[in-house]
Amino acid sequence: MAHIVFTLEDGTEIETELDSDVITIGRHSDSIVELPSASVSSHHATIKRRKDSFYVQDLGTTNGTKLNGVEVEEAKLEDGDQLCFGDIPAVVHLKAAAEKKEAVVAAAVKKETSAVEEHDTSKKSSTKNSTSKKIVAASGNRRPMPMKRGSIPQYKETVGCAGFVAFLSFIGLVFVIGLHLRHAAETGGFLTGDILKKMRDGVGEQGSAPDTDDKDSKPVKKKKNKEEDSKPPENADNASAPNAAPATEVK
């Protein structure tokens, strides 16, 4: 439990537990803590408990109450604080009892935990030993199966061939895609469509060129020959004209 230790002028120590809501301190005999010193007032100070905290309050004394060397009227107390009532010093101990209780509880918990761990360890070891014995007994009755060595290389070769074919297919696909991308970047068209279009245009030109030349050339040639055959020669007309003139003069 929390307590406070006073040291009188002759070196005598007075230890008082803070087990009440209010602890009165003074020179008068009706105080809970009586300090026989001329520097201490009849009713000097009080220590009050509020929930889990303690507060010291001076009662308007002449010599005052100091906390860690500073004169105070009221202040909250912490573990290890140094108080001085007139010329009488005192030390506050708040955590000693709590720490002792926590240490006892922690020791008990640790002991119980270690006991549980030892029990679990022994149980696991016994289970493991029984399991290993069962495995050994079962393995003693098991026959080793012969391994078919011929099938393993064949599987590896098949996998290797399939991988090589897949690699070549991937390389070809990358090459074709590269050609299409380059053609699209240079011409803005689609490579396969442009190739098919050129092939159709070339086949159409080869099939239509001979028919057009034959149809156009042969009729023109025949018409020209007919016109030349039906046209009278100019030399024959010129030759018959001088002969006709003399015949008229004779008559």
Side-chain angles (χ1 to χ4, degrees):
M1 181 177 289
H3 61 279
I4 184 170
V5 179
F6 300 89
T7 304
L8 301 180
E9 294 175 350
D10 58 356
T12 304
E13 291 185 350
I14 300 175
E15 181 177 340
T16 302
E17 293 184 354
L18 303 177
D19 54 355
S20 301
D21 293 337
V22 178
I23 303 293
T24 58
I25 302 169
R27 194 176 69 250
H28 200 278
S29 60
D30 61 355
S31 300
I32 295 176
V33 180
E34 184 180 354
L35 299 176
S37 175
S39 62
V40 178
S41 300
S42 298
H43 301 89
H44 196 99
T46 59
I47 296 178
K48 298 179 180 180
R49 179 170 58 189
R50 298 174 186 171
K51 295 183 179 181
D52 295 334
S53 302
F54 293 90
Y55 294 83
V56 62
Q57 182 180 8
D58 184 76
L59 299 178
T61 60
T62 303
N63 295 325
T65 302
K66 294 181 181 179
L67 174 62
N68 297 325
V70 179
E71 190 170 345
V72 296
E73 293 182 359
E74 185 178 6
K76 182 180 179 180
L77 298 177
E78 300 292 342
D79 183 64
D81 281 346
Q82 303 286 333
L83 290 172
C84 192
F85 303 94
D87 295 335
I88 304 300
V91 180
V92 180
H93 300 278
L94 300 179
K95 294 184 179 180
E99 288 178 354
K100 186 177 180 180
K101 185 177 180 180
E102 290 178 359
V104 173
V105 173
V109 171
K110 186 176 181 181
K111 185 177 180 180
E112 184 177 357
T113 304
S114 61
V116 172
E117 289 179 353
E118 289 179 358
H119 178 70
D120 292 341
T121 304
S122 61
K123 186 176 181 181
K124 288 180 180 179
S125 61
S126 61
T127 305
K128 186 176 180 181
N129 293 332
S130 61
T131 305
S132 61
K133 290 179 180 179
K134 290 180 181 180
I135 293 173
V136 170
S139 62
N141 298 327
R142 186 181 299 171
R143 282 187 181 180
M145 296 182 67
M147 181 173 30
K148 297 180 181 180
R149 298 182 179 179
S151 60
I152 296 176
Q154 183 179 0
Y155 173 74
K156 291 183 178 180
E157 291 177 0
T158 305
V159 174
C161 294
F164 182 71
V165 172
F167 177 73
L168 291 180
S169 302
F170 176 74
I171 294 298
L173 180 62
V174 171
F175 179 73
V176 172
I177 293 173
L179 289 178
H180 278 76
L181 293 177
R182 182 174 180 181
H183 181 77
E186 293 179 354
T187 63
F190 186 64
L191 179 61
T192 305
D194 293 343
I195 292 174
L196 294 175
K197 184 177 180 182
K198 287 183 179 181
M199 292 175 64
R200 289 196 299 268
D201 294 342
V203 172
E205 290 178 358
Q206 292 178 0
S208 61
D211 297 337
T212 305
D213 294 339
D214 294 339
K215 292 178 181 180
D216 293 341
S217 59
K218 289 180 180 181
V220 171
K221 187 174 181 181
K222 291 179 180 179
K223 289 180 181 180
K224 187 175 181 181
N225 293 333
K226 289 179 180 181
E227 290 177 357
E228 288 179 357
D229 293 339
S230 62
K231 186 177 179 181
E234 295 179 356
N235 295 329
D237 295 337
N238 293 331
S240 62
N243 294 327
T248 306
E249 290 177 359
V250 171
K251 290 179 178 180

